[in-house]
Each structure stands twice: as C-alpha cells, then as structure tokens.
Amino acid sequence: MSSRETILSRIRDAQTLAPPVAEQVPRDYRTGRTMPDVERIELLVDRLVDYRAHVHRCDPTTLTETITRVLRDVGARRVGVPAGLHESWLTGFAGDVVVDSADVPAPELSTLDAVVTASTVTCAETGTLFLDGSPDQGRRALTLVPDVHVCVVTAESIEVGLPESLARLAPERPTTMISGPSATSDIELERVEGVHGPRNLHVVICG
C-alpha cells in the first residue's frame, strides 16, 4: 500500500468514527441583538480607536468634505477607487483619481497614496469592517497594497455583534475583514505595522 493510500484509508476510518453532522458542535449563537444607534456607534468608535484606527464622524451632507479633508491631511495626491464608488465622494479632491480594475497589476497599486472604499457591514463589538468585493469596495488587492485606506461606514450598516454582521453577508462573495491597521509583533514583541496591509486606516462613519 502506498503512502497516499494509507493516508486516505486513515481519513476514511476517522470519518466512520466521527459523529453524525447533527451531533457536532452546536451553532446556537446569540443573534438578533440590538442597541440604540448612539450606543452602537460609540461602541464601534471605542473599538476602532483601541485598534489605532483614525475615526471621523460626519453626516451625508458633509461626507464629501470629510473625505477630502482626510485625503488632504494624509498628503494623498494619487488615490485609487473601485469602479462602483459614488462619484460625488471625491468631487472635492484635487489630485489624481485612479479607477481600479482587474487589468491593473497588483504591484502598480503601490504607486497610490491612498484608496477610498465603501463597506458592506461593520461589527461594533469587535470593530471589524467587512468588505465583500461589491462594486463600491473593489477587489481585495486594492485595499491591501496602498499604505492608506479610507473606508466609509454608514450608520445603518453597523451591527452589534459578529452573528448579526455575518447574517448580512452573502457566503458566496469574497469577504475581507479589517480590524484596525495592519499590524503584527516581531520576536521581541515590538509592534510592526503595514506588514500585511495598510499601516493607516481611516474610518469615516456617516450618519
């Protein structure tokens, strides 16, 4: 018997001994939790700040102005956007706006100073932003290569916890979960930012 056959045989034996699917780990998570809008947003802000993200509050009438100010403050001159981003969001930006597409090689995204996207849903309890590749969010590479990510979160898209957030996602869509700027620790426990994504995350909460 070959090594491959031995391994497959062991897998089949293990599956035979495994309990039926119905008897496996229960998935009875808490769902349907609600919280007043003010408290829900305050909880999200607290988590984002704890993760060292920059938080900006605005309403729909000042969204464009807020995005423009954030881009100006970070010194962005060349900004990438997904093809479906609302055109009015960058009308106040005086620099170059690059519309991303699958034809743009990922290494070329490093020439962008920042990227601006929307988001699908946000979990207040964990401070996690969910991007599912929708037209106003773009492909995964667009939000991982540039050093600055400006993400717009609407108040109505904020859920209390993970079960509520996941329930609003389409399982078949590619989902990127972002909890603060990209960061890790080296062997001496020194925090290193920007290893796997943007070093700077700016979250614009609109509503």
Side-chain angles (χ1 to χ4, degrees):
M1 182 180 290
S2 67
S3 299
R4 179 178 181 276
E5 292 171 335
T6 299
I7 293 173
L8 290 175
S9 176
R10 290 175 180 174
I11 292 174
R12 283 191 290 269
D13 291 342
Q15 290 177 329
T16 301
L17 297 173
V21 175
E23 298 179 15
Q24 292 182 2
V25 179
R27 305 294 181 184
D28 52 347
Y29 303 117
R30 292 181 300 169
T31 58
R33 288 178 294 167
T34 59
M35 185 181 292
D37 291 350
V38 173
E39 295 181 17
R40 196 172 69 253
I41 293 175
E42 287 180 351
L43 177 61
L44 173 60
V45 171
D46 177 76
R47 297 295 189 269
L48 290 171
V49 171
D50 189 51
Y51 290 151
R52 302 189 184 184
H54 304 277
V55 180
H56 312 269
R57 299 287 303 276
C58 69
D59 58 48
T61 64
T62 58
L63 176 57
T64 299
E65 177 185 342
T66 302
I67 294 175
T68 301
R69 174 173 51 79
V70 172
L71 293 175
R72 182 185 65 243
D73 290 347
V74 300
R77 297 181 179 179
R78 194 164 188 264
V79 174
V81 298
L85 193 75
H86 203 293
E87 294 182 359
S88 67
W89 287 8
L90 270 76
T91 53
F93 178 62
D96 296 329
V97 177
V98 179
V99 179
D100 185 46
S101 74
D103 297 329
V104 179
E108 290 188 14
L109 298 175
S110 62
T111 64
L112 300 173
D113 298 317
V115 57
V116 178
T117 73
S119 57
T120 298
V121 65
T122 300
C123 175
E125 201 167 56
T126 63
T128 305
L129 316 178
F130 294 81
L131 281 63
D132 69 357
S134 294
D136 58 359
Q137 296 156 48
R139 56 177 172 159
R140 181 177 171 84
L142 179 63
T143 57
L144 294 181
V145 178
D147 195 49
V148 177
H149 181 190
V150 180
C151 187
V152 177
V153 172
T154 59
E156 59 269 19
S157 72
I158 303 172
E159 292 288 350
V160 176
L162 276 176
E164 293 82 6
S165 300
L166 294 174
R168 293 179 60 170
L169 297 172
E172 66 274 11
R173 297 195 63 84
T175 302
T176 301
M177 292 175 281
I178 302 170
S179 296
S182 171
T184 187
S185 296
D186 62 17
I187 195 170
E188 296 180 347
L189 300 183
E190 291 290 334
R191 180 182 173 93
V192 180
E193 298 180 343
V195 177
H196 308 294
R199 288 184 299 171
N200 300 282
L201 174 64
H202 291 259
V203 180
V204 178
I205 300 177
C206 180

